[in-house]
Amino acid sequence: MSDSLNASVESDGLTPEQRLEPPNTRLINAGIATIHDMETLRACVAYENANQQRVQILRRLERRAEKIRSQEG
């Protein structure tokens, strides 16, 4: 993992790897649901693109981005 992704930790202390690589999908869903800012979301998308490239996870991240944008605007 690159240093920039490793250094990208949100205030709750979770890295993109911790959010997207837990042992079951319920924890992945929780990791995505607790993203509250675009910076963290972008770091998670970058991590997923650089590693697993799972379409389903990227779609969940996209839906989360839409929700964050709607709350900001």
Side-chain angles (χ1 to χ4, degrees), residues 2 4 10 12 14 31 34 39 41-43 59 69 72:
S2 78
S4 64
E10 191 184 341
D12 64 7
L14 295 176
T34 58
E39 181 180 343
L41 186 108
R42 285 185 195 105
R59 285 186 183 141
R69 285 186 199 109
E72 289 176 348

Side-chain angles (χ1 to χ4, degrees), residues 1-3 5-6 15-17 47 51:
M1 180 164 50
S2 78
D3 290 337
L5 292 178
N6 206 8
T15 65
E17 181 178 18
Y47 175 84
N51 293 282

Side-chain angles (χ1 to χ4, degrees), residues 10-51:
E10 191 184 341
S11 60
D12 64 7
L14 295 176
T15 65
E17 181 178 18
Q18 290 168 322
R19 289 182 186 281
L20 301 175
E21 297 295 337
N24 68 58
T25 57
R26 291 173 67 188
L27 291 174
I28 293 173
N29 292 339
I32 292 172
T34 58
I35 297 172
H36 300 294
D37 62 273
M38 292 304 288
E39 181 180 343
T40 301
L41 186 108
R42 285 185 195 105
C44 289
V45 170
Y47 175 84
E48 188 62 26
N49 282 330
N51 293 282

